[in-house]
Amino acid sequence: MSAADRLADVRQRIEAAARSAGRAPADVTLVAVSKTHGANRVREMLDAGQRVFGENRVQEAEEKFPDLKAAHPDLELHLIGPLQTNKARDAVRLFDVIQSVDRERLAVALAKEMAHLGRRPACYIQVNTGEEAQKAGVAPADVDAFITACRDTHKLPVVGLMCIPPVDEEPALHFALLAKIAARNGLAKVSMGMSADYEAAVRLGATHVRVGSALFGARPPLEAPTPKTDA
Ligand SMILES: *Cc1c(COP(=O)(O)O)cnc(C)c1O
Protein backbone atom coordinates (compact mmCIF):
# COMPACT_ATOMS: atom_id res chain seq x y z
CA MET A 1 0.00 0.00 0.00
CA SER A 2 1.20 3.50 -0.78
CA ALA A 3 1.41 6.24 1.83
CA ALA A 4 -1.69 7.79 0.25
CA ASP A 5 -3.60 4.49 0.52
CA ARG A 6 -2.68 3.97 4.16
CA LEU A 7 -3.64 7.53 4.95
CA ALA A 8 -6.98 7.15 3.17
CA ASP A 9 -7.66 3.91 5.04
CA VAL A 10 -6.97 5.42 8.48
CA ARG A 11 -9.02 8.50 7.67
CA GLN A 12 -11.94 6.33 6.55
CA ARG A 13 -11.82 4.35 9.77
CA ILE A 14 -11.75 7.53 11.84
CA GLU A 15 -14.72 8.85 9.90
CA ALA A 16 -16.71 5.64 10.35
CA ALA A 17 -15.93 5.48 14.09
CA ALA A 18 -16.97 9.11 14.52
CA ARG A 19 -20.25 8.61 12.65
CA SER A 20 -21.04 5.46 14.62
CA ALA A 21 -20.78 7.52 17.81
CA GLY A 22 -22.85 10.38 16.43
CA ARG A 23 -19.82 12.63 16.18
CA ALA A 24 -18.72 14.85 13.31
CA PRO A 25 -15.64 13.38 11.60
CA ALA A 26 -14.22 16.89 11.28
CA ASP A 27 -13.97 17.04 15.09
CA VAL A 28 -11.24 14.39 15.04
CA THR A 29 -7.69 15.33 14.03
CA LEU A 30 -5.28 12.66 12.87
CA VAL A 31 -1.78 13.20 14.26
CA ALA A 32 0.62 11.22 12.07
CA VAL A 33 3.38 9.94 14.36
CA SER A 34 6.55 9.99 12.26
CA LYS A 35 9.13 9.15 14.95
CA THR A 36 12.05 7.02 13.69
CA HIS A 37 11.02 7.62 10.05
CA GLY A 38 13.01 9.98 7.86
CA ALA A 39 11.97 13.27 6.28
CA ASN A 40 11.25 11.48 2.99
CA ARG A 41 8.50 9.46 4.63
CA VAL A 42 7.03 12.62 6.11
CA ARG A 43 7.14 14.23 2.68
CA GLU A 44 5.13 11.33 1.22
CA MET A 45 2.43 11.98 3.80
CA LEU A 46 2.54 15.71 3.10
CA ASP A 47 2.10 14.97 -0.61
CA ALA A 48 -0.90 12.81 0.30
CA GLY A 49 -2.44 15.77 2.11
CA GLN A 50 -1.56 15.11 5.76
CA ARG A 51 -0.56 18.24 7.70
CA VAL A 52 -0.48 17.30 11.41
CA PHE A 53 2.51 15.31 12.68
CA GLY A 54 3.72 14.02 16.04
CA GLU A 55 7.26 13.36 17.26
CA ASN A 56 8.35 12.07 20.65
CA ARG A 57 11.87 13.50 20.80
CA VAL A 58 12.88 17.12 20.48
CA GLN A 59 16.23 16.42 18.89
CA GLU A 60 14.88 14.06 16.26
CA ALA A 61 12.19 16.57 15.36
CA GLU A 62 14.80 19.33 15.08
CA GLU A 63 16.68 17.23 12.55
CA LYS A 64 13.63 16.62 10.36
CA PHE A 65 11.08 19.36 10.65
CA PRO A 66 12.52 22.87 10.22
CA ASP A 67 12.87 22.42 6.44
CA LEU A 68 9.50 20.68 6.13
CA LYS A 69 7.82 23.47 8.08
CA ALA A 70 9.49 26.10 5.90
CA ALA A 71 8.15 24.33 2.80
CA HIS A 72 4.67 23.81 4.33
CA PRO A 73 3.72 26.73 6.59
CA ASP A 74 0.44 24.99 7.45
CA LEU A 75 2.24 21.96 8.91
CA GLU A 76 1.35 21.49 12.59
CA LEU A 77 3.87 19.69 14.78
CA HIS A 78 2.98 18.05 18.10
CA LEU A 79 5.40 16.91 20.79
CA ILE A 80 3.99 13.65 22.19
CA GLY A 81 6.98 12.37 24.19
CA PRO A 82 8.49 13.27 27.56
CA LEU A 83 10.11 16.70 27.70
CA GLN A 84 13.15 17.49 29.83
CA THR A 85 13.18 21.01 31.25
CA ASN A 86 16.52 21.77 29.62
CA LYS A 87 14.84 21.17 26.23
CA ALA A 88 11.89 23.45 26.97
CA ARG A 89 13.25 26.34 24.91
CA ASP A 90 13.89 24.14 21.86
CA ALA A 91 10.44 22.61 22.22
CA VAL A 92 8.67 25.98 22.43
CA ARG A 93 10.59 27.18 19.39
CA LEU A 94 9.78 24.19 17.16
CA PHE A 95 6.48 22.63 18.22
CA ASP A 96 2.99 24.04 17.71
CA VAL A 97 1.47 21.80 20.37
CA ILE A 98 3.10 20.22 23.45
CA GLN A 99 1.06 17.21 24.59
CA SER A 100 3.30 16.03 27.44
CA VAL A 101 3.14 18.67 30.19
CA ASP A 102 3.26 16.57 33.36
CA ARG A 103 5.01 18.36 36.22
CA GLU A 104 5.38 21.70 37.94
CA ARG A 105 9.02 22.24 37.04
CA LEU A 106 8.26 21.74 33.37
CA ALA A 107 5.26 24.06 33.55
CA VAL A 108 7.50 26.77 35.03
CA ALA A 109 10.16 26.24 32.36
CA LEU A 110 7.60 26.33 29.53
CA ALA A 111 6.01 29.52 30.85
CA LYS A 112 9.42 31.18 31.04
CA GLU A 113 10.42 30.14 27.51
CA MET A 114 7.06 31.18 26.06
CA ALA A 115 7.52 34.65 27.53
CA HIS A 116 11.11 34.76 26.30
CA LEU A 117 10.34 33.60 22.74
CA GLY A 118 6.94 35.24 22.34
CA ARG A 119 5.51 31.94 21.10
CA ARG A 120 2.73 30.03 22.86
CA PRO A 121 2.29 26.43 21.71
CA ALA A 122 -0.99 24.92 22.89
CA CYS A 123 -0.43 22.64 25.89
CA TYR A 124 -1.97 19.32 26.89
CA ILE A 125 -1.56 17.79 30.31
CA GLN A 126 -0.44 14.17 30.15
CA VAL A 127 -2.39 11.98 32.56
CA ASN A 128 -0.99 8.66 33.80
CA THR A 129 -4.42 7.03 33.79
CA GLY A 130 -2.95 3.61 34.59
CA GLU A 131 -0.85 4.99 37.46
CA GLU A 132 2.18 3.15 36.10
CA ALA A 133 5.40 3.92 37.98
CA GLN A 134 7.56 3.91 34.85
CA LYS A 135 5.23 6.09 32.80
CA ALA A 136 5.13 9.87 32.54
CA GLY A 137 2.00 11.81 33.36
CA VAL A 138 0.12 13.26 36.32
CA ALA A 139 -1.77 10.84 38.56
CA PRO A 140 -5.55 11.09 38.13
CA ALA A 141 -5.92 12.17 41.79
CA ASP A 142 -3.57 15.14 41.24
CA VAL A 143 -4.64 16.25 37.80
CA ASP A 144 -7.38 18.78 38.64
CA ALA A 145 -5.01 20.74 40.90
CA PHE A 146 -2.22 20.54 38.33
CA ILE A 147 -4.47 21.83 35.53
CA THR A 148 -5.51 24.74 37.74
CA ALA A 149 -1.88 25.56 38.57
CA CYS A 150 -0.88 25.44 34.89
CA ARG A 151 -3.72 27.71 33.86
CA ASP A 152 -3.93 30.16 36.75
CA THR A 153 -0.42 30.29 38.23
CA HIS A 154 1.76 29.63 35.18
CA LYS A 155 -0.68 31.04 32.62
CA LEU A 156 -0.01 28.23 30.17
CA PRO A 157 -2.37 27.87 27.22
CA VAL A 158 -3.80 24.54 28.40
CA VAL A 159 -6.33 23.18 25.90
CA GLY A 160 -6.55 19.47 26.58
CA LEU A 161 -5.39 16.17 28.02
CA MET A 162 -3.35 13.26 26.69
CA CYS A 163 -2.93 9.66 27.86
CA ILE A 164 -1.13 6.45 26.92
CA PRO A 165 -3.02 3.49 28.48
CA PRO A 166 -1.15 0.51 29.93
CA VAL A 167 -0.41 -2.05 27.20
CA ASP A 168 -2.09 -4.92 29.05
CA GLU A 169 -5.37 -3.25 29.98
CA GLU A 170 -8.61 -2.50 28.15
CA PRO A 171 -7.89 0.94 26.68
CA ALA A 172 -11.56 1.97 26.64
CA LEU A 173 -11.58 2.36 30.44
CA HIS A 174 -8.65 4.76 30.20
CA PHE A 175 -10.19 6.67 27.30
CA ALA A 176 -13.44 7.11 29.21
CA LEU A 177 -11.55 8.32 32.30
CA LEU A 178 -9.52 10.85 30.30
CA ALA A 179 -12.65 12.22 28.59
CA LYS A 180 -14.34 12.56 31.97
CA ILE A 181 -11.41 14.47 33.50
CA ALA A 182 -11.30 16.78 30.46
CA ALA A 183 -15.03 17.48 30.67
CA ARG A 184 -15.01 18.34 34.36
CA ASN A 185 -12.10 20.74 33.80
CA GLY A 186 -13.68 22.41 30.77
CA LEU A 187 -10.94 21.22 28.40
CA ALA A 188 -12.05 20.73 24.79
CA LYS A 189 -9.20 18.58 23.46
CA VAL A 190 -8.58 14.93 24.25
CA SER A 191 -5.57 13.16 22.71
CA MET A 192 -5.91 9.38 22.94
CA GLY A 193 -5.76 6.32 20.73
CA MET A 194 -2.87 4.86 18.74
CA SER A 195 -2.68 2.42 15.81
CA ALA A 196 -4.19 -0.49 17.76
CA ASP A 197 -7.11 1.36 19.32
CA TYR A 198 -7.78 4.72 17.68
CA GLU A 199 -11.28 3.75 16.55
CA ALA A 200 -12.31 2.98 20.14
CA ALA A 201 -10.76 6.29 21.20
CA VAL A 202 -12.80 8.16 18.62
CA ARG A 203 -15.99 6.50 19.80
CA LEU A 204 -15.12 7.63 23.36
CA GLY A 205 -14.51 11.25 22.43
CA ALA A 206 -10.93 11.63 21.17
CA THR A 207 -10.38 14.91 19.35
CA HIS A 208 -6.83 13.83 18.43
CA VAL A 209 -5.62 10.32 17.65
CA ARG A 210 -1.87 9.64 17.43
CA VAL A 211 -1.26 7.04 14.73
CA GLY A 212 2.22 5.83 13.79
CA SER A 213 2.65 2.29 12.53
CA ALA A 214 -0.73 2.09 10.76
CA LEU A 215 0.44 4.99 8.58
CA PHE A 216 4.19 4.50 8.28
CA GLY A 217 4.57 0.76 8.84
CA ALA A 218 6.51 -0.93 11.65
CA ARG A 219 9.27 0.95 13.41
CA PRO A 220 12.71 -0.63 13.93
CA PRO A 221 12.12 -3.35 16.59
CA LEU A 222 14.99 -2.32 18.87
CA GLU A 223 13.70 1.16 19.53
CA ALA A 224 15.53 2.57 22.57
CA PRO A 225 13.35 3.10 25.64
CA THR A 226 12.03 6.60 26.07
CA PRO A 227 14.44 8.59 28.24
CA LYS A 228 13.36 9.31 31.79
CA THR A 229 12.41 12.87 32.48
CA ASP A 230 14.14 14.94 35.11
CA ALA A 231 11.16 15.17 37.44
C1 LIG B 1 4.79 6.08 19.13
C2 LIG B 1 3.64 6.76 19.76
C3 LIG B 1 2.36 6.71 19.18
C4 LIG B 1 2.04 5.93 17.91
O1 LIG B 1 2.08 4.57 18.15
P1 LIG B 1 1.56 3.51 17.05
O2 LIG B 1 1.19 2.33 17.85
O3 LIG B 1 2.70 3.26 16.13
O4 LIG B 1 0.42 4.13 16.35
C5 LIG B 1 1.34 7.40 19.82
N1 LIG B 1 1.56 8.11 20.95
C6 LIG B 1 2.77 8.18 21.52
C7 LIG B 1 2.94 8.98 22.76
C8 LIG B 1 3.85 7.51 20.96
O5 LIG B 1 5.06 7.59 21.55
Side-chain angles (χ1 to χ4, degrees), residues 1-220:
M1 262 208 283
S2 69
D5 288 342
R6 287 192 301 269
L7 180 61
D9 180 61
V10 171
R11 282 191 178 157
Q12 258 165 36
R13 288 167 186 272
I14 290 171
E15 193 173 317
R19 289 197 198 290
S20 79
R23 302 185 59 207
D27 292 345
V28 184
T29 299
L30 171 61
V31 181
V33 177
S34 49
K35 66 187 185 195
T36 77
H37 300 292
N40 290 347
R41 306 293 312 284
V42 178
R43 240 175 250 117
E44 287 174 3
M45 282 295 161
L46 282 161
D47 291 344
Q50 177 65 20
R51 285 296 179 274
V52 184
F53 294 88
E55 286 281 337
N56 69 334
R57 293 179 189 202
V58 175
Q59 196 183 331
E60 183 183 342
E62 279 175 328
E63 286 161 14
K64 285 194 284 203
F65 276 90
D67 291 350
L68 296 167
K69 286 185 95 173
H72 298 273
D74 57 343
L75 193 162
E76 187 180 293
L77 187 60
H78 292 230
L79 178 63
I80 60 170
L83 177 57
Q84 294 172 271
T85 49
N86 64 5
K87 295 270 172 63
R89 177 168 301 183
D90 296 335
V92 168
R93 197 181 280 131
L94 180 63
F95 289 91
D96 303 296
V97 178
I98 297 176
Q99 294 203 6
S100 48
V101 181
D102 66 351
R103 61 201 190 280
E104 193 84 21
R105 236 183 109 202
L106 178 60
V108 170
L110 287 170
K112 179 172 153 234
E113 300 305 342
M114 286 185 195
H116 178 80
L117 295 168
R119 212 181 123 69
R120 291 175 61 74
C123 292
Y124 290 57
I125 308 301
Q126 184 173 348
V127 185
N128 188 356
T129 56
E131 306 189 54
E132 295 173 280
Q134 80 285 7
K135 202 168 268 178
V138 185
D142 301 332
V143 70
D144 292 13
F146 184 65
I147 292 167
T148 303
C150 286
R151 287 203 282 217
D152 298 353
T153 309
H154 308 303
K155 313 279 188 228
L156 289 179
V158 178
V159 301
L161 302 179
M162 182 268 256
C163 78
I164 309 170
V167 287
D168 52 355
E169 285 182 29
E170 169 56 51
L173 302 173
H174 296 271
F175 297 156
L177 174 61
L178 196 72
K180 190 174 101 181
I181 299 171
R184 76 173 179 238
N185 284 282
L187 293 171
K189 310 287 186 191
V190 187
S191 171
M192 56 191 191
M194 320 202 318
S195 291
D197 52 24
Y198 65 90
E199 292 157 284
V202 168
R203 287 193 292 270
L204 288 164
T207 63
H208 290 70
V209 291
R210 309 178 308 267
V211 179
S213 41
L215 289 172
F216 291 98
R219 286 181 293 274

